Amino acid sequence: MTRSADVVIVGSGVAGSLVAARLAKAGLKVLILEAGPRVQRNAALATYRDALIKIPESPYPDTPYAPRPKSDDPDHYYLQDGKDKFASTYLRQVGGTTWHWLGTTLRFVADDFRLRSRFGVGVDWPLSYDDLEPWYCEAERELGVAGDPHADLDAPRSQPYPLPPIPLSYADQRIAAALAGTPYTVQPTPQARNSQRYDNRPACCGSSSCIPICPVQAKYDATTHVAQAERAGAELVAEAVVSRVEVGADGWISALTITRPDGTEDRAIGKVFVIAAHGIETPKLLLQSRTERLPRGVANSSDQVGRNLMDHPSMLTWALVGEPVWPYRGPLSTAGIESTRAGAWRNEHASFRIQFDNRGWEWPKSTPDSTVRELVRSGLRGAELDRALADRSSREVGFATMAEQLPSPDNRIVPDFDQRDAIGIPRPRITYRVDDYTRRALAHGRRVHREICTALKATEVHDGDEIMGAGHVVGTYRMGVDPKESVVNPDQRAHDHPNLFLLGSGVFPTSAASNPTLTIAALALRAVRAIRDNSV
């Protein structure tokens, strides 16, 4: 079967769904191809509640035809060769990874776009903060961002947040009070989470399951824009794994090959093709589409496809404080220290941010019964055990430093043609290493953690030894003006193929320290005009 449209979009996450909704509303015929299945929220919630091991992926199907990585087993899907494990994951289903994201919507700061010219490291973006600022405003309206207009986040605004801020948790307030008079200010985190009813979605109900699933859809996920696109006439085909990009002799993309769960194949043709399958699946698709005429794969004359893989490497600290701060309530994070994202020291070490968790020791300890087991081993039983558990869990605090990572061509993903999934698609082989520039920032962040613990008069302070993934897959098909050094131009149009656009955090030349989703959305919205102009 051959499907056709003006614009064919691969991936229904935040970038693909935003573009699909805008184009469909403009009257274009839009086809969305999603590798994974549709997910029903109630069924996913039931699966999550029944799961014995509750990880970010536990509510969602791991299908043999669209496999994906798992937080507790990075080698479940990835094949890894690097010095360090790449531990960040993503979902392959309608709505993409926004189902289990935290909801943090920080803008980048101005210096993030000029890292090379300001600090002599990394590379510069082909865009400035001022170029992207109006699109940040647009993205905040589309996602429904709640933020504090008085918080100084080193990102000047031309328009207010669409929603008032999510209140600070009690733990945030106690930390802020303890840090008064220090160089560190606790600031509310902008979030794509409704503080009041917005876009026909309810206000946050205070559930503490934002990762992996919001029970009421107060937290934005991309099914919001998938629904808008479908109401405007777009067609979405789920369980449609795009396995090959076909290129004509003139260099234009001519079609996509689709592999169905039963192994049969379909095709999709269109005027313009948009691949928004995130930082692992997008380069893998381009590289596995190699031919005799394109031995490096599609869009890869620069040899940059699959290279410069980045994350926000993270280090954790957790402790007990002297008074109850009542974690395990409300959104998983509502505040942090953001001033460390900007500074003259970025020529020496990476920028970073410190996230305060409202989930006690859940992230570092992983399993909810770990504290119980420790107390039982100490000899406690019955009512005494209950009292000790209540006391300890009420005083748990946790912090995470999430650091910028420099692009390196040696950090890469390639398709492994010898290791394939159930329908014969190559699995991703990853080579990854955390650079010293980032490690110095993590060490600095840990020193700040210790200062926070001292201010809180904390006891039982623990520092994690392992560098964690933040769940942010960045880089692998970078944006730039020089076709010899980049894959797409500032409109995210492939240098090599006039009717191919590549969206998502894979286009980021550098990672900055801010969570990537709002910037993904802003760039996607900015690309709509160029996509539309090329499809008519």
Side-chain angles (χ1 to χ4, degrees):
M1 178 179 181
T2 299
R3 301 175 186 272
S4 65
D6 296 322
V7 181
V8 181
I9 298 174
V10 181
S12 62
V14 62
S17 66
L18 277 168
V19 169
R22 285 290 175 98
L23 295 175
K25 291 174 184 177
L28 275 69
K29 185 177 181 182
V30 176
L31 172 65
I32 310 167
L33 302 172
E34 171 54 55
R38 290 186 187 265
V39 173
Q40 299 299 319
R41 191 173 303 274
N42 287 343
L45 279 166
T47 301
Y48 172 59
R49 290 175 181 136
D50 292 343
L52 294 178
I53 299 175
K54 289 179 167 53
I55 58 174
E57 298 78 32
S58 59
Y60 308 112
D62 184 13
T63 63
Y65 59 85
R68 36 77 172 166
K70 296 171 61 177
S71 299
D72 61 346
D73 182 11
D75 299 329
H76 169 73
Y77 179 50
Y78 296 147
L79 304 164
Q80 303 217 36
D81 298 325
K83 178 180 178 181
D84 298 313
K85 285 281 189 182
F86 188 79
S88 286
T89 68
Y90 52 95
L91 296 176
R92 300 175 75 186
Q93 61 193 44
V94 176
T97 307
T98 52
W99 275 92
H100 78 18
W101 73 310
L102 182 57
T104 299
T105 47
L106 286 159
R107 298 180 176 198
F108 282 15
V109 302
D111 281 349
D112 293 333
F113 298 89
R114 52 195 185 197
L115 200 58
R116 167 60 62 176
S117 56
R118 284 277 286 122
F119 305 106
V121 296
V123 295
D124 287 347
W125 286 51
L127 299 170
S128 68
Y129 178 85
D130 290 340
D131 291 331
L132 206 53
E133 199 280 331
W135 300 104
Y136 274 136
C137 296
E138 191 78 6
E140 288 164 349
R141 286 193 296 272
E142 291 287 351
L143 273 59
V145 173
D148 184 348
H150 305 296
D152 180 11
L153 299 174
D154 293 298
R157 310 179 55 82
S158 63
Q159 297 180 37
Y161 290 106
L163 291 169
I166 298 289
L168 295 181
S169 69
Y170 183 71
D172 294 336
Q173 295 175 48
R174 298 312 303 151
I175 295 171
L179 292 178
T182 74
Y184 309 112
T185 301
V186 176
Q187 296 175 300
T189 304
Q191 303 166 61
R193 178 178 291 105
N194 289 355
S195 54
Q196 60 192 33
R197 189 168 186 85
Y198 183 84
D199 198 18
N200 203 33
R201 294 183 287 118
C204 177
C205 65
S207 170
S208 60
S209 67
C210 313
I211 297 176
I213 185 169
C214 175
V216 298
Q217 207 179 11
K219 182 188 70 175
Y220 171 85
D221 66 71
T223 61
T224 296
H225 284 97
V226 169
Q228 290 183 21
E230 291 187 294
R231 287 196 297 268
E235 178 186 9
L236 184 142
V237 182
E239 302 180 339
V241 181
V242 177
S243 52
R244 177 169 292 275
V245 180
E246 301 177 24
V247 183
D250 58 1
W252 289 59
I253 307 304
S254 57
L256 302 176
T257 302
I258 302 165
T259 302
R260 306 293 294 197
D262 62 3
T264 60
E265 290 188 347
D266 296 337
R267 293 176 83 242
I269 59 176
K271 298 176 182 176
V272 174
F273 296 85
V274 176
I275 302 178
H278 214 358
I280 300 294
E281 298 300 325
T282 292
K284 184 165 73 71
L285 171 59
L286 298 172
L287 293 170
Q288 74 194 30
S289 299
R290 66 188 186 184
T291 63
E292 185 174 336
R293 187 163 52 83
L294 297 173
R296 286 180 170 176
V298 174
N300 197 28
S301 64
S302 64
D303 192 31
Q304 292 301 306
V305 172
R307 296 188 183 274
N308 306 300
L309 175 64
M310 294 169 280
D311 192 1
H312 289 129
S314 304
M315 294 291 282
L316 310 183
T317 295
W318 60 102
L320 288 180
V321 294
E323 61 174 312
V325 292
W326 309 113
Y328 302 104
R329 303 181 302 171
L332 297 181
S333 180
T334 42
I337 295 173
E338 309 298 349
S339 58
T340 51
R341 294 183 301 146
W345 34 260
R346 290 179 73 176
N347 63 328
E348 300 174 0
H349 67 70
S351 66
F352 63 94
R353 63 179 299 260
I354 296 178
Q355 174 182 291
F356 299 144
D357 283 344
N358 293 326
R359 49 183 158 173
W361 290 6
E362 178 187 332
W363 187 2
K365 301 293 280 186
S366 299
T367 58
D369 63 339
S370 58
T371 300
V372 175
R373 286 188 276 107
E374 291 172 5
L375 293 172
V376 167
R377 280 197 294 267
S378 73
L380 298 179
R381 299 292 188 277
E384 190 177 14
L385 174 62
D386 288 344
R387 286 191 295 271
L389 178 61
D391 173 65
R392 287 181 66 92
S393 61
S394 71
R395 296 187 290 116
E396 293 176 357
V397 295
F399 326 111
T401 282
M402 299 180 178
E404 168 185 35
Q405 185 172 7
L406 292 178
S408 167
D410 295 330
N411 283 354
R412 67 184 306 191
I413 171 265
V414 297
D416 190 310
F417 292 96
D418 296 322
Q419 299 282 339
R420 297 175 181 259
D421 64 23
I423 60 171
I425 309 297
R427 289 169 60 189
R429 181 166 291 281
I430 292 175
T431 305
Y432 180 72
R433 175 183 175 274
V434 178
D435 55 83
D436 292 340
Y437 180 77
T438 299
R439 290 177 183 273
R440 289 193 291 272
L442 294 173
H444 188 163
R446 174 156 288 175
R447 291 192 292 272
V448 178
H449 291 186
R450 287 289 175 155
E451 292 181 55
I452 296 169
C453 288
T454 298
L456 289 168
K457 299 180 172 57
T459 59
E460 294 192 35
V461 178
H462 306 271
D463 291 322
D465 295 326
E466 182 181 359
I467 296 178
M468 311 289 285
H472 304 155
V473 185
V474 179
T476 66
Y477 43 101
R478 63 157 55 148
M479 182 193 329
V481 293
D482 186 347
K484 294 180 181 179
E485 298 181 352
S486 58
V487 180
V488 298
N489 70 12
D491 289 331
Q492 296 166 90
R493 182 178 180 175
H495 293 302
D496 296 351
H497 310 290
N499 65 335
L500 177 63
F501 290 79
L502 308 175
L503 307 185
S505 53
V507 307
F508 292 12
T510 56
S511 72
S514 303
N515 303 47
T517 304
L518 187 71
T519 302
I520 294 172
L523 287 168
L525 291 167
R526 185 180 182 275
V528 167
R529 176 178 295 179
I531 296 169
R532 185 184 63 223
D533 290 349
N534 281 272
S535 61
V536 296

